[in-house]
Amino acid sequence: MGLYLPILVLGGVAAAFAVVSVGMALLIGPRRFNRAKLQAYECGIEPARHSVGPGRFPIRFYLTAMLFIVFDIEIVFLYPWAVAFDRLGPFALAEMALFMVVVFVAYGYVWRRGGLEWD
């Protein structure tokens, strides 16, 4: 446990900093709406005008985020495999080839369905 204590302390400090930062912003931050705050963001989403809760959010943003996560996780799996490639042998090569085929089939499906189109 002694080896992990500095990591736990650092995690606690980071969590406390995040909570205190958000709390202070909510307490002392300005709540005035002006013309610049009510304009569309860079992504083109119109902000909600003094709404009580969150408004509707286009589903294509969620789909794009999920696609990013899928391909990002693919890269996370590829890095350790590439580092240890020379020690893994032919079975690992076949497994990674199968993994890449599955991912590229999914990529082709998304591409064909128009999931990468941004209109």
Side-chain angles (χ1 to χ4, degrees):
M1 182 66 180
L3 294 173
Y4 296 110
L5 187 61
I7 295 172
L8 293 174
V9 169
L10 183 62
V13 168
F17 178 76
V19 168
V20 168
S21 297
V22 171
M24 292 300 289
L26 289 173
L27 287 176
I28 64 174
R31 291 184 180 84
R32 294 181 301 270
F33 292 98
N34 58 25
R35 185 175 178 182
K37 286 184 182 180
L38 295 175
Q39 288 182 349
Y41 300 115
E42 289 181 9
C43 60
I45 299 175
E46 291 291 331
R49 305 218 191 275
H50 306 286
S51 64
V52 176
R56 290 184 161 214
F57 201 72
I59 192 72
R60 67 176 181 238
F61 294 111
Y62 291 114
L63 293 175
T64 304
M66 287 191 296
L67 287 173
F68 173 76
I69 289 170
V70 165
F71 292 113
D72 195 41
I73 289 173
E74 175 193 6
I75 295 300
V76 167
F77 282 132
L78 282 174
Y79 277 126
W81 176 80
V83 169
F85 173 69
D86 57 345
R87 295 184 302 259
L88 294 176
F91 180 72
L93 179 63
E95 287 295 319
M96 188 51 69
L98 180 65
F99 176 71
M100 294 296 293
V101 165
V102 169
V103 169
F104 281 124
V105 165
Y107 176 71
Y109 175 76
V110 169
W111 187 3
R112 185 142 172 111
R113 292 284 309 237
L116 303 175
E117 304 274 329
W118 200 260
D119 293 329

